[in-house]
Amino acid sequence: MENVSFNIDGRTCSAEKGKNLIEAAKQNGIFIPSLCHFKQQNPLGSCRVCTVKLNGRATAGCTINIDKGMDIEVNTPELLDTRKAILEMMFVEGNHFCPSCEKSGDCQMQKLGYETGIRYTRFPHLFVERFIDAKAERIVVNQNRCIKCKRCFEEIKTNDRYQVFNFLNKGNKTVVTVDYEQEAKLSESQAEYAMQICPTGSILVKGKSVSKPFGNRMFDQGIEGKTIPFNKINKNNSNGQKKRVATTSLAGCFGCHMSLLDIDLGLVDLIEVVEFNKTPLTDIKKFSKRCNIGIIEGGVSNTHNFEVLRAFRENCDILVSVGECAIWGGLPALRNTIPLEDCLNEAYLNSLTSEENESVIPNHEDIPKILDKVYSNHEIVKIDYHIPGCPPNSNHIWNVVKNILFEEELTIAYPEFKYD
Ligand code: SF4
Ligand code: SF4
């Protein structure tokens, strides 16, 4: 095969003529992210995560076959942002609750989320109602997480070459279907292979676990960032004035506050340079002074959360959403996929803990009204910073807060940056 020269971001590269761009770029030490591209399959071009520019035109990189003199842009600021936006759209389009997902830690989409540095999505989550098909003998398909990459469709076949997965409907309504008869013919290892090649947690095998402990996860071995030891607070930057901090927990589990407290003795250093105003840590209920920074845990689920968040925006110079619930609703937002009336009926009338024959859904003027869905904080007020994690670890939170307050240098260590 003839070798040809081409350019990527102004660098001369060479590869076999006709070779797929993603493979050719890799061969030249350039990584182009992709989710649907898989082995020697025909270019699928369905996820668009590999969007690059060929001779100035945006196109899916996996559909390009290398030819002499091609001029390809891959890592320009515009393309990096385009690919990030495409991924963000995938996250909001499905119901991706990473902290409770079986594939968390072993998921290619999640890994790309980390690699592209997604901390929050600029688009609102759709919280669509999707079907989970568990009728097949071993395989479960969770439509909530499917990105329609077609890998399962193209790759998984029975020994007599029948397809197991197929697509039904078109556009937004497309779903992956399972041919139960063919699925029953798959061996145990073939079923597990289907789970493995799915780039998300959409295909699972009953009774098989895919999650991995921290330290052994796909993205735990990444670029090491520099972290600042906690005891190096630059007190000079504060001009002798203590900075004022407020915190609150809206619709969250209080886990982010527990993480805040996890710095243990570091708190003693901290209170030399900051003072806490309104926060459950001091039990100060109302703002008595304007604060430099407000740390918000949890999203907005009821009218009280809404009022508290507005008060934080009014009384704090900088607001930081901490943790998944604050950033996009997190686990409380699981209810967003279910009509509110059904949620209330289940919680107050039909659940095991309801009083027998009790038929009252609490409703009193003193009780905050529950909202139609759980909102992320930046849907309600302007949020200046987002710290992902469920919960983020304590050093991570305080390093970011110190960085904001005292303008210290900070690079977050890659393994610390987690949202699952
Ligand atoms: S781990 Fe992957 S599939 Fe599961 S919710 Fe997160 S992104 Fe979606
Ligand atoms: S089920 Fe998984 S492999 Fe199949 S199309 Fe959806 S995301 Fe891709």
Side-chain angles (χ1 to χ4, degrees):
M1 259 288 186
E2 182 195 353
N3 249 30
V4 291
S5 293
F6 57 99
N7 282 324
I8 295 185
D9 294 335
R11 195 180 121 194
T12 306
C13 303
S14 95
E16 274 173 23
K17 184 177 171 164
K19 198 173 184 86
N20 182 284
L21 170 65
I22 297 195
E23 306 299 332
K26 197 166 159 192
Q27 200 177 301
N28 286 273
I30 297 166
F31 171 65
I32 303 177
S34 143
L35 284 175
C36 67
H37 179 70
F38 187 64
K39 295 200 324 190
Q40 301 308 319
Q41 280 179 0
N42 290 330
L44 298 172
S46 63
C47 76
R48 317 308 273 192
V49 169
C50 60
T51 296
V52 296
K53 276 194 180 174
L54 171 60
N55 301 331
R57 274 193 61 193
T59 186
C62 68
T63 62
I64 297 173
N65 294 325
I66 288 300
D67 207 348
K68 190 176 171 189
M70 277 181 164
D71 191 17
I72 300 155
E73 291 165 62
V74 172
N75 286 323
T76 62
E78 183 199 351
L79 284 165
L80 288 169
D81 191 58
T82 301
R83 291 199 289 266
K84 192 172 172 193
I86 290 169
L87 255 183
E88 286 173 32
M89 283 186 234
M90 286 181 182
F91 274 104
V92 301
E93 188 276 337
N95 291 318
H96 293 275
F97 296 93
C98 292
S100 65
C101 177
E102 299 87 342
K103 191 93 177 226
S104 192
D106 204 14
C107 168
Q108 287 175 29
M109 178 161 151
Q110 192 183 46
K111 180 174 188 272
L112 271 192
Y114 285 122
E115 276 171 1
T116 52
I118 294 177
R119 283 177 295 129
Y120 72 102
T121 55
R122 66 196 95 173
F123 314 106
H125 284 254
L126 299 184
F127 295 113
V128 282
E129 200 179 337
R130 298 244 172 87
F131 181 59
I132 299 174
D133 184 356
K135 282 198 210 119
E137 192 137 314
R138 268 160 309 181
I139 283 177
V140 176
V141 176
N142 187 334
Q143 304 288 351
N144 291 295
R145 303 165 183 161
C146 175
I147 56 165
K148 284 83 182 181
C149 71
K150 293 192 193 157
R151 282 189 183 184
C152 55
F153 172 93
E154 298 274 339
E155 180 77 5
I156 304 299
K157 306 256 168 42
T158 58
N159 291 341
D160 44 3
R161 306 303 298 159
Y162 281 101
Q163 238 168 259
V164 176
F165 298 92
N166 222 321
F167 274 11
L168 187 71
N169 303 329
K170 287 194 171 160
N172 260 353
K173 299 211 169 96
T174 309
V175 289
V176 169
T177 56
V178 184
D179 183 326
Y180 304 133
E181 200 183 316
Q182 302 307 329
E183 190 270 351
K185 290 192 209 159
L186 293 179
S187 67
E188 199 69 20
S189 58
Q190 284 170 323
E192 282 179 34
Y193 179 60
M195 175 168 76
Q196 191 198 323
I197 61 152
C198 175
T200 72
S202 188
I203 297 180
L204 301 168
V205 174
K206 293 176 188 173
K208 296 280 170 193
S209 168
V210 285
S211 67
K212 293 212 170 112
F214 286 101
N216 294 337
R217 309 181 136 204
M218 262 191 177
F219 28 75
D220 282 337
Q221 281 81 44
I223 312 135
E224 283 293 322
K226 193 179 84 178
T227 51
I228 295 171
F230 186 73
N231 55 8
K232 289 243 176 85
I233 292 176
N234 182 354
K235 292 169 191 167
N236 294 334
N237 276 353
S238 66
N239 301 326
Q241 294 266 312
K242 284 192 177 184
K243 301 281 185 182
R244 266 179 238 117
V245 178
T247 78
T248 190
S249 176
L250 306 177
C253 69
F254 227 78
C256 292
H257 270 78
M258 298 312 289
S259 192
L260 278 172
L261 292 174
D262 255 357
I263 49 168
D264 301 326
L265 285 178
L267 265 178
V268 178
D269 284 340
L270 192 71
I271 53 179
E272 278 188 41
V273 287
V274 303
E275 72 178 56
F276 288 97
N277 197 261
K278 177 180 160 56
T279 165
L281 305 176
T282 56
D283 209 23
I284 296 175
K285 302 266 193 283
K286 290 200 168 146
F287 283 99
S288 59
K289 288 175 186 163
R290 186 159 186 83
C291 289
N292 299 95
I293 198 163
I295 299 172
I296 320 282
E297 166 191 331
V300 178
S301 179
N302 61 39
T303 49
H304 182 249
N305 299 152
F306 184 84
E307 285 158 18
V308 173
L309 184 58
R310 294 283 295 269
F312 264 72
R313 185 66 280 178
E314 277 162 27
N315 287 283
C316 301
D317 296 339
I318 296 165
L319 279 194
V320 186
S321 269
V322 175
E324 295 312 299
C325 302
I327 291 173
W328 61 271
L331 293 191
L334 278 167
R335 81 160 165 93
N336 291 2
T337 60
I338 301 163
L340 180 58
E341 194 183 344
D342 292 355
C343 291
L344 292 171
N345 287 345
E346 187 60 27
Y348 294 106
L349 307 183
N350 308 327
S351 76
L352 286 174
T353 52
S354 302
E355 289 284 322
E356 215 171 314
N357 301 323
E358 189 58 82
S359 59
V360 178
I361 293 175
N363 184 15
H364 186 276
E365 57 182 328
D366 291 342
I367 302 177
K369 301 283 173 291
I370 194 154
L371 301 179
D372 59 329
K373 64 168 201 165
V374 179
Y375 292 84
S376 55
N377 294 335
H378 63 281
E379 285 180 277
I380 309 290
V381 297
K382 179 176 180 285
I383 296 290
D384 302 290
Y385 297 92
H386 298 82
I387 307 179
C390 188
N393 86 34
S394 59
N395 283 330
H396 185 166
I397 300 172
W398 286 117
N399 278 334
V400 174
V401 170
K402 280 193 301 147
N403 172 252
I404 297 167
L405 287 177
F406 302 106
E407 295 169 17
E408 290 184 346
E409 189 191 347
L410 171 72
T411 311
I412 298 166
Y414 188 87
E416 274 188 22
F417 183 71
K418 297 207 177 299
Y419 37 73
D420 53 317

